[in-house]
Amino acid sequence: QDAVNSPADYPDLSDYELIFFGDSVMGNYHDFASIPGVVHALTGATVHNLAIGGSSATRNSDDDKSFPNVVQDFLDHNTEELTGDKKLCFLINYGLNDYFEGYSIADYQDGLRTGIRAMRESYPDARIMVISSNYILSFEKGMARIGDEENVLEDYIAAAEETAAAENVDFLNINDALQWNEHNAAEYLADSIHPNEEGRFLFGVEVIRSGK
């Protein structure tokens, strides 16, 4: 509430409509204390939270909840929810479940690329931002080697940045911004993976700052 009462600290994004895609970090929460809710409260932007817990960027079938399929479903059925008179920004936050499931880096990048290109084709003037996965304490603090490629979480973060650069969209390394690490992350995580209420607030603030 103190932050809401200090509007000079945050940009006025009331002329923006923000659509969030992601996994449980975004999708487990849909109230004012969610990451999209924080962004809305501090900036006045209209937000739509299309994140789904357990989802990934990697596409395994035509009917899974992967990023490419969620984007296509949005384009096919949900665009009527948009006001039509505001600037659009799509925010994409995947990678944790891709890592947990041991999906290949190539498949992860292909999922991100497919979703980004579908959105750009339908909304060429929209801004697009890829947000990295946050620091975690599980899976040996993200250093456990998973899958046939034996990737660590940092490999997916690097792949997300590489894909964003190749597609000429914005990238936010939330770890660089938040500076969570093995010494302080427990203060900001509800468990070993998901940000708690304070963590979600700080996450949302960094999304706002990166979008200025």
Side-chain angles (χ1 to χ4, degrees):
Q1 188 59 49
D2 289 342
V4 171
N5 292 336
S6 302
D9 292 338
Y10 302 97
D12 178 3
L13 300 181
S14 57
D15 59 339
Y16 269 88
E17 199 148 10
L18 312 181
I19 299 90
F20 288 81
F21 297 90
D23 52 32
S24 55
V25 169
M26 299 280 184
N28 276 4
Y29 314 94
H30 287 267
D31 60 3
F32 68 93
S34 66
I35 293 168
V38 168
V39 174
H40 164 72
L42 298 182
T43 69
T46 300
V47 300
H48 304 273
N49 189 355
L50 303 185
I52 301 173
S55 62
S56 63
T58 302
R59 180 179 179 180
N60 289 305
S61 69
D62 291 340
D63 58 357
D64 66 14
K65 300 301 182 182
S66 64
F67 176 49
N69 288 341
V70 174
V71 168
Q72 196 57 55
D73 184 68
F74 165 75
L75 295 176
D76 290 344
H77 303 109
N78 298 317
T79 54
E80 64 269 14
E81 296 180 10
L82 301 180
T83 62
D85 58 356
K86 296 187 177 185
K87 292 177 280 189
L88 283 178
C89 180
F90 297 102
L91 300 106
I92 305 156
N93 176 228
Y94 291 96
L96 287 177
N97 291 308
D98 300 270
Y99 167 57
F100 298 154
E101 296 295 330
Y103 294 139
S104 74
I105 292 296
D107 288 344
Y108 170 61
Q109 290 185 299
D110 183 63
L112 289 176
R113 186 165 46 245
T114 299
I116 289 169
R117 291 180 180 180
M119 288 188 294
R120 180 184 287 128
E121 183 176 352
S122 294
Y123 297 98
D125 296 327
R127 183 176 179 182
I128 299 174
M129 178 185 293
V130 175
I131 304 170
S132 78
S133 302
N134 59 271
Y135 184 85
I136 62 174
L137 292 171
S138 62
F139 288 78
E140 301 174 17
K141 303 180 180 67
M143 294 304 295
R145 296 194 172 276
I146 307 296
D148 294 339
E149 297 178 349
E150 297 189 338
N151 292 310
V152 297
L153 181 57
E154 187 62 35
D155 295 325
Y156 295 86
I157 294 173
E161 182 172 14
E162 181 181 277
T163 304
E167 295 300 315
N168 196 30
V169 300
D170 294 324
F171 178 75
L172 167 61
N173 188 322
I174 198 66
N175 295 302
D176 287 350
L178 293 172
Q179 291 295 295
W180 293 351
N181 54 54
E182 61 181 327
H183 304 295
N184 63 20
E187 301 175 31
Y188 306 111
L189 299 176
D191 45 30
S192 60
I193 296 172
H194 304 89
N196 59 21
E197 190 167 287
E198 183 177 3
R200 296 194 299 276
F201 178 83
L202 295 173
F203 196 126
V205 167
E206 292 304 331
V207 171
I208 294 167
R209 287 176 176 168
S210 68
K212 284 185 178 181

